[in-house]
Amino acid sequence: GAGVSQTPSNKVTEKGKYVELRCDPISGHTALYWYRQSLGQGPEFLIYFQGTGAADDSGLPNDRFFAVRPEGSVSTLKIQRTERGDSAVYLCASRSGASASTDTQYFGPGTRLTVL
Amino acid sequence: ILNVEQSPQSLHVQEGDSTNFTCSFPSSNFYALHWYRWETAKSPEALFVMTLNGDEKKKGRISATLNTKEGYSYLYIKGSQPEDSATYLCAFNEYNFNKFYFGSGTKLNVKP
């Protein structure tokens, strides 16, 4: 079956521009995560959705970052007024259940964002 | 912010060597530890989900152990093969929260 997909795979933008990154989770997965991975670091939690609602957005670095999941499937991460420090690989992951302890997260291939 | 550390940062071994690396995490409020393998240009792939102190899991030549009281997990690879070359990540999940804290990974390079 289809895995988690993310588009675009690469995005180059200029400082100050707005970008949207899309995540298509595995069909039927209610939980969805966004992570950001900067060079030399592990993935850093940004936001967690359970269904349509953001259950935990404590990882969003500031109010330039926003994410939505209006129908409980596809999610979009939106970054306003991009800065060079936003350059990173943005990963999306989904899992089927409500329990984080035993359910596997399935990751997408990531979107590499470069802000010039 | 919880601190999850992995060591070593990178490792170079010859084909056939056995190797192991460490993930350290807070020993309080433990809920689960996940291990992932991330090959270049691919998606991170789940290896193990570990929840109980003393857990030992195995998948082919790869195995992992868990010590929640002292806050560490070991990942072992027996008889490394070039296809094992990847970055191995661990992720800690705290009780009653759904967020995961990742280590920075161990990058393994297996030379033929």
Side-chain angles (χ1 to χ4, degrees), chain B residues 78-99:
Chain B
K78 186 177 176 182
S80 303
Q81 300 295 308
E83 58 264 31
D84 296 329
S85 296
T87 295
Y88 291 83
L89 292 164
C90 66
F92 169 78
N93 175 227
E94 189 181 21
Y95 179 73
N96 215 28
F97 292 93
N98 273 294
K99 66 199 304 185

Side-chain angles (χ1 to χ4, degrees), chain B residues 31-88:
Chain B
Y31 202 45
L33 188 84
H34 294 231
W35 279 100
Y36 295 87
R37 174 170 60 201
W38 194 358
E39 295 178 66
T40 304
K42 294 188 177 180
S43 307
E45 173 199 356
L47 289 173
F48 305 113
V49 179
M50 309 185 81
T51 56
L52 298 174
N53 185 43
D55 244 358
E56 183 167 342
K57 301 232 171 167
K58 190 172 180 184
K59 187 175 183 176
R61 294 178 292 98
I62 304 177
S63 61
T65 60
L66 179 69
N67 184 325
T68 61
K69 294 188 189 308
E70 295 182 40
Y72 64 84
S73 176
Y74 292 140
L75 191 81
Y76 301 90
I77 303 179
K78 186 177 176 182
S80 303
Q81 300 295 308
E83 58 264 31
D84 296 329
S85 296
T87 295
Y88 291 83

Side-chain angles (χ1 to χ4, degrees), chain A residues 50-68:
Chain A
Q50 184 59 249
T52 60
D56 186 341
D57 64 357
S58 61
L60 295 177
N62 51 58
D63 61 7
R64 295 186 298 105
F65 288 74
F66 189 70
V68 295

Side-chain angles (χ1 to χ4, degrees), chain A residues 33 35 37 40-43 45 48 56 58 91 95 98-105 107-109, chain B residues 9 31-32 34 36 38 42-44 46 49-51 89 93 97-105:
Chain A
Y33 291 81
Y35 295 92
Q37 194 210 16
Q41 306 292 318
F45 170 83
Y48 159 66
D56 186 341
S58 61
L91 290 165
R95 61 175 171 81
S99 167
S101 66
T102 56
D103 290 339
T104 299
Q105 286 186 85
F107 280 86
Chain B
Q9 192 173 3
Y31 202 45
H34 294 231
Y36 295 87
W38 194 358
K42 294 188 177 180
S43 307
V49 179
M50 309 185 81
T51 56
L89 292 164
N93 175 227
F97 292 93
N98 273 294
K99 66 199 304 185
F100 288 84
Y101 298 89
F102 279 82
S104 54

Side-chain angles (χ1 to χ4, degrees), chain A residues 10-81:
Chain A
N10 278 285
K11 176 73 178 176
V12 180
T13 191
E14 292 178 345
K15 181 173 178 282
K17 299 288 189 184
Y18 167 82
V19 296
E20 288 190 352
L21 311 179
R22 177 186 167 111
C23 172
D24 276 90
I26 292 173
S27 178
H29 279 193
T30 57
L32 185 146
Y33 291 81
W34 282 100
Y35 295 92
R36 174 171 72 173
Q37 194 210 16
S38 302
L39 199 61
Q41 306 292 318
E44 173 194 18
F45 170 83
L46 295 178
I47 187 168
Y48 159 66
F49 287 90
Q50 184 59 249
T52 60
D56 186 341
D57 64 357
S58 61
L60 295 177
N62 51 58
D63 61 7
R64 295 186 298 105
F65 288 74
F66 189 70
V68 295
R69 196 185 184 200
E71 296 176 3
S73 55
V74 171
S75 176
T76 306
L77 179 66
K78 307 180 181 197
I79 310 175
Q80 296 178 319
R81 305 184 304 279

